[in-house]
Amino acid sequence: MKKTILGAATLGAMALAVTGASAQTQMQTQPASGFYVGLGVGANFHSRENGNFGPVGGRIDFRTGHVVVLNAGYAFGNGIRAEIEAAYRENQVDHISAGGVRANRQQGWLRQYGVMGNAYYDIPVGVNLGGFSINPYVGAGLGFMWSDYDDVRGDFTGSTVAVIKGSGRLAFQGIAGIAVGLDAVVPGLSLTTEYRYLNTRERDARSARFTAVETRGSFRGDNHNHAVLLGLRYAFGTPAPTPVVAPAPAPAPAPARTFLVFFDWDRADLTDRARQIIAEAATNARTVSSTRIEVSGHADRTGAAAYNQRLSVRRAEAVAAELVRRGINRNEITIQGFGFDRPLVPTAQGVREPQNRRVEIVLR
């Protein structure tokens, strides 16, 4: 049982590792629907069988073997799937005991052939990692299993025990697995990892024990199988997944455009050049569909602060009036004056600087 748990953990880790190597496109996960086929291979752990070799109690132990499963089914689109399965299991004899004595030498194989009808439920967890969906599922099956003892023989001192043939019995199984959807690579393809427990009713295997006097008996063995499988499943007609397109980023706001209108010393009237610049600003405001026009007046550092504050506002109002005359709505314009607090060219107090006697028109 420890081997089974370790095997299941290993295969589960392999499935998760596949999801780590994922593409960046995210896809929507939908319940499986339509016809599919599958193939699984893995390790089969067959339980010890206890019975009688004639009047003598005996036991057969098996080595870890292998299992191959082929299936075909239909998914109904609501998480329910139904399928037919053909399976083959094979385990080599490890040792044989009779009457509490272990054989000096043993040989043979147990080969099992089964046909099962299975029903599954895909658990809707909706996990999606980088375009690879993770879909756990559980299932149960009912069918028929044939057991064939191929040359099973144990040699004891003075005698030989031979299991001649096996038999068929009703079988049932429980299944738990994880499917990793590889739609980002091949639409409809999934990697599966499963644990299966399979059991049949107690079955007979005719046996013979040869000593000085030949005796015959019936070996009644329990048939418990634990299997861990890794496989592939392909669903027909699966459309390519639709990428979840991230919304386009909002366009960056257009950079503000600034126009500078200069004034003579201690003046707030507009020169011809100033009117040309204001006309250009008005034309651009209509072209770029600006929503706000900021008009800011400034002065140089001559004179008192209060006087220059009023002068900067008058300059701004003169420019705004010209913008209105050029077709700009007055409610689109904001006016403010900064006096000599924000010089374009830093100077000492009392210095006349033409570039500081200005109005800035900013289109936003």
Side-chain angles (χ1 to χ4, degrees), residues 98-288:
V101 178
R102 183 166 174 170
N104 300 321
R105 187 177 65 85
Q106 52 274 316
Q107 64 185 47
W109 298 83
L110 171 61
R111 296 184 171 93
Q112 302 178 87
Y113 311 84
V115 176
M116 307 287 289
N118 301 320
Y120 294 90
Y121 177 63
D122 295 321
I123 302 171
V125 296
V127 177
N128 191 305
L129 301 177
F132 293 84
S133 59
I134 308 297
N135 306 291
Y137 57 89
V138 292
L142 186 66
F144 201 81
M145 182 70 66
W146 289 267
S147 299
D148 179 20
Y149 293 86
D150 183 4
D151 195 28
V152 176
R153 184 182 302 273
D155 294 332
F156 296 83
T157 302
S159 65
T160 297
V161 171
V163 178
I164 299 173
K165 61 179 289 187
S167 61
R169 284 290 187 269
L170 185 69
F172 63 90
Q173 66 178 346
I175 305 167
I178 296 176
V180 180
L182 305 179
D183 289 343
V185 180
V186 178
L189 187 65
S190 297
L191 174 68
T192 60
T193 178
E194 292 182 347
Y195 165 75
R196 292 178 176 231
Y197 169 73
L198 180 138
N199 191 9
T200 68
R201 294 178 54 204
E202 185 180 69
R203 65 233 190 334
D204 295 337
R206 294 201 309 272
S207 64
R209 177 177 172 83
F210 300 94
T211 58
V213 178
E214 179 180 330
T215 61
R216 294 183 181 275
S218 177
F219 187 85
R220 302 177 63 85
D222 294 329
N223 183 8
H224 301 277
N225 295 271
H226 302 274
V228 180
L229 297 94
L230 187 66
L232 291 172
R233 186 170 73 218
Y234 178 73
F236 295 97
T238 302
T242 303
V244 178
V245 180
R257 186 166 183 183
T258 302
F259 297 84
L260 297 180
V261 179
F262 294 101
F263 292 81
D264 292 333
W265 181 77
D266 197 25
R267 301 293 296 271
D269 52 335
L270 301 174
T271 65
D272 291 341
R273 177 57 182 155
R275 295 182 189 279
Q276 292 175 359
I277 294 172
I278 296 170
E280 183 181 352
T283 300
N284 275 267
R286 290 189 292 269
T287 302
V288 301

Side-chain angles (χ1 to χ4, degrees), residues 18 36 47 55 70 86 114 121 123 134 150-151 159 229 252 279 281 291 334-335 342 359:
V18 171
Y36 66 88
S47 64
L70 294 171
Y121 177 63
I123 302 171
I134 308 297
D150 183 4
D151 195 28
S159 65
L229 297 94
T291 58
T334 60
I335 297 174
R342 297 185 182 182
V359 167

Side-chain angles (χ1 to χ4, degrees), residues 38-116:
L39 167 67
V41 296
N44 189 66
F45 306 92
H46 187 76
S47 64
R48 171 185 300 164
E49 295 191 4
N50 297 294
N52 294 299
F53 300 113
V56 179
R59 188 183 80 193
I60 304 177
D61 290 87
F62 298 89
R63 298 178 183 175
T64 299
H66 59 268
V67 56
V68 179
V69 175
L70 294 171
N71 48 46
Y74 185 84
F76 295 94
N78 57 359
I80 303 297
R81 293 186 283 119
E83 69 177 33
I84 298 296
E85 166 198 308
Y88 172 75
R89 290 170 169 80
E90 182 178 282
N91 293 82
Q92 186 177 10
V93 171
D94 187 34
H95 63 265
I96 298 176
S97 299
V101 178
R102 183 166 174 170
N104 300 321
R105 187 177 65 85
Q106 52 274 316
Q107 64 185 47
W109 298 83
L110 171 61
R111 296 184 171 93
Q112 302 178 87
Y113 311 84
V115 176
M116 307 287 289

